[in-house]
Amino acid sequence: MKLFRIKYRADIQVHPYRKGGRIGPPLRRIAVCLFVALLLAGVVHAQTAKLIPAWDASDEKNVGHVEHVAWQEILNDYLRVHDSGVNRFDYGAFKANAGDTAKLAAYLTSLQSLDPRDYSRAEQKAYWINFYNALTVQVVADAYPVDSIKDISESLLGKSGGIFGGPWDDVHAKVAGRDLTLNNIEHGILRPIWRDNRIHYAVNCASYGCPNLSPTVFTAENTEDLLQAGARAYVNHPRGVDFMDDDFIIISSIYKWYVADFGGAEKSVIEHLVKYADKALATRLRKFTGSVDYEYDWSLNRP
């Protein structure tokens, strides 16, 4: 089974959105060897989409809406749309404002007081995306200052950092009497219920390599437009697709971790990228027959 196709270059470019350069060839080789060893040992694996059956219900007759005004106000005040194309959240300024941290806590409490199954599917989709993003901001802000979300975890393995880091399996919420983790929301609810690979462009993991945290809250009415815009923005940014030369590209590790959501093969991933790429990039991708490498920057998306 082919796991990787990697080509090394001495003249790797450094893009302005990144804080530092890429790993050099010797260290990259070591990292790849360690990764493969862990993969074969069954330690490292992407989260699969596995439905939590209890959440697979809705009331399509309900025309009510969930209120997201407080979350929009927080985004207005602390999300910085940057010239680099990577949106940054000012966790330091947010944490220093007790009124706004209380506002976010109250907003999350209000979401947890609802049963989203009482609402339509369209309303639920927006509810869960906003819930995931707002909860992530709260988790990071509570632990701030940190260099990466992977430095945050309530587990002993998580606190050691590295591949075991991150808060995604820690319980941070309770809805309808059920404890919820961030992984529950993304992989047990959003991905398996909606089967929409654009979900990956909507949920934000507080990292430079991640698709942008949207400056506009999701609603039943605007979700489709925001998902389309998020996909186009990411695919057409170097952290989504980056041509090193005509026969070597680096694409986001998202397309490796969740390849099943993008057709299950490298070819289908390229077809997905073409769908959202601008004309020039799409033309280049259609002609591409070279090697693919994957990269992701876990640095915190702070200013």
Side-chain angles (χ1 to χ4, degrees), residues 108-123:
L108 289 168
T109 296
S110 73
L111 294 186
Q112 292 171 83
S113 71
L114 305 174
D115 189 334
R117 295 168 296 188
D118 292 338
Y119 293 85
S120 68
R121 281 289 197 223
E123 198 66 31

Side-chain angles (χ1 to χ4, degrees), residues 243-262:
F243 267 88
M244 295 294 96
D245 54 39
D246 288 338
D247 64 352
F248 180 37
I249 60 172
I250 295 177
I251 62 177
S252 171
S253 296
I254 288 173
Y255 303 114
K256 177 176 66 177
W257 298 330
Y258 304 111
V259 64
D261 292 357
F262 297 97

Side-chain angles (χ1 to χ4, degrees), residues 89-100:
F89 192 89
D90 195 339
Y91 300 99
F94 172 73
K95 186 169 186 175
N97 190 317
D100 285 339

Side-chain angles (χ1 to χ4, degrees), residues 229-245:
R232 287 192 296 270
Y234 193 67
V235 169
N236 290 286
H237 189 274
R239 70 197 194 282
V241 181
D242 191 1
F243 267 88
M244 295 294 96
D245 54 39

Side-chain angles (χ1 to χ4, degrees), residues 11-283:
D11 58 338
I12 291 291
Q13 302 171 13
V14 177
H15 289 279
Y17 79 89
R18 295 192 176 95
K19 287 186 173 180
R22 291 192 173 94
I23 298 174
L27 290 178
R28 180 183 284 272
R29 291 189 184 99
I30 293 170
V32 168
C33 290
L34 287 172
F35 182 89
V36 171
L38 289 168
L39 183 65
L40 295 176
V43 176
V44 180
H45 62 279
Q47 286 284 336
T48 57
K50 185 176 181 181
L51 176 68
I52 302 174
W55 297 108
D56 191 14
S58 66
D59 182 357
E60 299 305 315
K61 295 179 181 179
N62 185 355
V63 296
H65 296 286
V66 178
E67 183 62 68
H68 300 292
V69 172
W71 178 226
Q72 183 64 69
E73 291 173 350
I74 290 168
L75 290 171
N76 291 345
D77 290 341
Y78 297 101
L79 186 65
R80 318 297 187 213
V81 178
H82 196 270
D83 291 341
S84 67
V86 181
N87 293 352
R88 294 102 186 280
F89 192 89
D90 195 339
Y91 300 99
F94 172 73
K95 186 169 186 175
N97 190 317
D100 285 339
T101 56
K103 179 189 290 186
L104 179 59
Y107 167 68
L108 289 168
T109 296
S110 73
L111 294 186
Q112 292 171 83
S113 71
L114 305 174
D115 189 334
R117 295 168 296 188
D118 292 338
Y119 293 85
S120 68
R121 281 289 197 223
E123 198 66 31
Q124 287 182 35
K125 193 174 188 179
Y127 167 94
W128 287 117
I129 292 171
N130 290 326
F131 196 169
Y132 185 99
N133 290 337
L135 189 58
T136 297
V137 165
Q138 184 185 62
V139 168
V140 174
D142 285 348
Y144 193 81
V146 291
D147 294 324
S148 170
I149 190 173
K150 294 190 76 177
D151 297 335
I152 306 169
S153 180
E154 295 175 2
S155 70
L156 291 177
L157 285 175
K159 288 179 180 178
S160 70
I163 60 172
F164 299 106
W168 297 285
D169 284 319
D170 297 331
V171 174
H172 288 291
K174 179 176 285 190
V175 176
R178 294 177 177 272
D179 289 341
L180 283 174
T181 68
L182 288 167
N183 273 342
N184 289 155
I185 296 173
E186 181 177 4
H187 310 300
I189 301 173
L190 278 166
R191 288 175 62 210
I193 290 178
W194 282 276
R195 299 178 181 272
D196 184 344
N197 55 28
R198 297 172 303 168
I199 291 294
H200 295 290
Y201 303 117
V203 293
N204 182 268
C205 63
S207 302
Y208 272 72
C210 189
N212 279 331
L213 177 58
S214 172
T216 303
V217 300
F218 285 77
T219 66
E221 293 74 25
N222 73 10
T223 293
E224 179 65 22
D225 289 343
L226 290 180
L227 291 175
Q228 287 291 100
R232 287 192 296 270
Y234 193 67
V235 169
N236 290 286
H237 189 274
R239 70 197 194 282
V241 181
D242 191 1
F243 267 88
M244 295 294 96
D245 54 39
D246 288 338
D247 64 352
F248 180 37
I249 60 172
I250 295 177
I251 62 177
S252 171
S253 296
I254 288 173
Y255 303 114
K256 177 176 66 177
W257 298 330
Y258 304 111
V259 64
D261 292 357
F262 297 97
E266 188 176 278
K267 179 180 178 181
S268 59
V269 167
I270 299 297
E271 291 170 352
H272 171 85
L273 298 175
V274 167
K275 181 178 179 180
Y276 293 101
D278 291 341
K279 185 176 180 180
L281 178 59
T283 298

